[in-house]
Amino acid sequence: MSDTLFPKLPYKLKQRADEATVNIQLQQFVNHATYSKDVARKQAMGGAFGENTDAVRDLAGQIKQHTLDHLDHYLEQFIDNATATGVQVHFARDGEQANQIAVAIAEANKCRLCVKSKSMVTEETHLLPALEAVGCETVETDLGEFILQLDNDAPSHIVTPMIHKDRTAVARAFQRELGAEYTEDAEALAQIARKHLREKYRKADLGISGGNFLVAETGSVVLCTNEGNGRFCTTAPRIHVAFVGIEKLVPRLEHLGVMLKVLARSSTGQPLTCYTHTITGPKREHEHDGPEEVHVVLVDNGRTDVLHEDTREMLRCIRCGACLNSCPVYRKIGGHSYGAVYSGPIGAILTPMLKGLENYTDLPHASSLCGACYEACPVKINIPKYLIQLRRDMVQNHLSGTGDRVTMRLWGESLQHEWSYRIGGWMQKTFARMQAKFGGTLETDDPYASRGWLTWAPGPVKGWTQERDMPTPTAKSFRHWWRKEHGR
């Protein structure tokens, strides 16, 4: 699992992408799930907001952008209001410090069993091994994360972490790890997990969660889940620790309403998640349920570097996964190919910012720049713009390979003059048609329509012909036909 999300750096995407593109089962699982969620998103957003859909996305983006523009103010407000309710607020500059805070809390309270709800920030800091190392058994309780933990696997999607598995994999994991009778019945599998996890909730003395939003006005942590496990993790154990990125703030409760509406619809096509849990302090004296202590760990881990004016917009992300579901590249290579916690289009821009562009030079190129991610994003992050910006940074900082730089320089020069453009086009046509002729695929019936097909090509074009045949240019061009027909 560690190597999947935390590979040796610098990371190169090609090997995993090559393996993923020939994995038929992976293609079927990821394509089906992402396509159905993308359709559900469009129907849910359009059905609820109609012609105002774009205006709602604008409003959600403006709320997040305003908060980021005044993040210092809203962080102070959140800390003051959360502390007033009895919450103990901690600040972690990086993942290691965040884990140390959680471990110290567990050891101080002699915690031995931790139930944990789904949290991308804890994946980012690699919290689970840190707790296990000090003897605190930690159980993932999100059903997808629980199955991945049994399989020692890693999440491959922000919202649906086991998108790359099917129910037969779940059945095998439950039979092998829990001693359950093999079944592929979805309801029976859910009952097996339910019975196992309920016992863990009952015995746990530490609960770990993330946080979808922080409300500065009230000092509240907001959790959005569909399984109810988040509510168990934050109410049954006597100690609750929430790991939340500093960018998750919204100013007031009235802003939370907008964010909740776009989050669920963009993520799963629901009007709201089944459980929306607002935590404002530990339990009061007159309350029977709830934790005795609530800790909020505000995690930076590189986010203040992304707060620069040129890149701040990236931090609007509310982790809905809509950009992953709409991305043709993600659908083809799956989440593990990205070699990081955050995959898909948002991962392609966030990971290089958080972990160093020099360590992830392939990710800004893991996109067709079709713009589907921008159209899907509920807070209007202009992901294609940042992909191009990162590619520019790579060139300016000499992070691109020498071969790439020379090729692009020659290509750029040839496009600046008509004579060099014509010579380049003639050479490309001649070479390609000769190769097709030797291969026996060249058709010559119509000089303006007949083509040949290349099954292999050298250099950068090799990547194309590994997956599909490439058509050659026709014998005569459209420009030639126009001059012939119109005399100019």
Side-chain angles (χ1 to χ4, degrees), residues 210-362:
N212 294 88
F213 301 101
L214 299 172
V215 184
E217 176 185 40
T218 59
S220 305
V221 179
V222 181
L223 287 182
C224 303
T225 70
N226 279 326
E227 300 174 13
N229 65 305
R231 189 162 293 184
F232 273 121
C233 289
T234 57
T235 54
R238 56 189 170 86
I239 309 294
H240 170 215
V241 180
F243 270 45
V244 193
I246 57 173
E247 80 281 15
K248 292 298 184 72
L249 278 160
V250 294
R252 295 191 292 277
L253 284 172
E254 65 185 79
H255 300 129
L256 179 64
V258 178
M259 306 313 295
L260 292 177
K261 288 175 183 174
V262 297
L263 173 65
R265 288 183 170 88
S266 301
S267 178
T268 54
Q270 299 168 266
L272 282 174
T273 48
C274 296
Y275 300 90
T276 302
H277 189 185
T278 304
I279 303 162
T280 309
K283 73 174 181 180
R284 279 65 165 177
E285 289 185 4
H286 63 279
E287 293 175 334
H288 297 291
D289 300 316
E292 297 166 6
E293 291 183 18
V294 174
H295 299 259
V296 174
V297 183
L298 297 171
V299 180
D300 183 328
N301 207 27
R303 286 163 173 77
T304 48
D305 294 333
V306 191
L307 265 178
H308 189 277
E309 192 173 348
D310 289 344
T311 53
R312 188 176 300 165
E313 185 181 316
M314 296 183 193
L315 293 178
R316 292 183 190 176
C317 180
I318 57 174
R319 309 290 192 266
C320 67
C323 62
L324 282 69
N325 297 333
S326 66
C327 177
V329 175
Y330 176 86
R331 288 177 181 173
K332 196 69 181 173
I333 65 175
H336 289 166
S337 295
Y338 290 80
V341 171
Y342 301 110
S343 57
I346 190 64
I349 59 173
L350 262 185
T351 301
M353 294 298 301
L354 295 175
K355 305 189 78 170
L357 181 56
E358 69 280 7
N359 291 321
Y360 284 91
T361 53
D362 285 347

Side-chain angles (χ1 to χ4, degrees), residues 141-196:
T141 61
D142 173 89
L143 185 54
E145 294 275 6
F146 175 58
I147 294 160
L148 293 176
Q149 186 181 24
L150 293 179
D151 272 347
N152 194 30
D153 200 351
S156 64
H157 189 284
I158 291 174
V159 177
T160 47
M162 55 164 286
I163 195 172
H164 56 290
K165 291 179 180 289
D166 68 351
R167 68 179 67 180
T168 62
V170 181
R172 288 193 297 272
F174 283 3
Q175 184 185 41
R176 185 186 67 245
E177 300 295 332
L178 305 182
E181 185 178 346
Y182 185 90
T183 176
E184 295 177 11
D185 180 74
E187 187 172 343
L189 290 169
Q191 287 300 323
I192 293 169
R194 185 176 188 270
K195 182 179 178 182
H196 179 85

Side-chain angles (χ1 to χ4, degrees), residues 59-106:
L59 176 59
Q62 288 166 9
I63 291 171
K64 288 295 294 182
Q65 190 65 39
H66 167 82
T67 313
L68 293 167
D69 289 343
H70 303 86
L71 191 60
D72 53 346
H73 166 74
Y74 288 116
L75 275 172
E76 288 183 5
Q77 189 178 359
F78 172 80
I79 292 169
D80 289 345
N81 291 329
T83 304
T85 66
V87 173
Q88 298 178 53
V89 182
H90 311 261
F91 184 82
R93 64 178 177 277
D94 55 29
E96 183 179 355
Q97 189 177 33
N99 292 346
Q100 288 172 353
I101 292 168
V103 167
I105 294 169

Side-chain angles (χ1 to χ4, degrees), residues 196-209:
H196 179 85
L197 291 174
R198 284 292 173 113
E199 192 63 15
K200 296 294 183 183
Y201 293 130
R202 193 177 67 78
K203 295 179 179 176
D205 41 22
L206 175 64
I208 298 282
S209 76

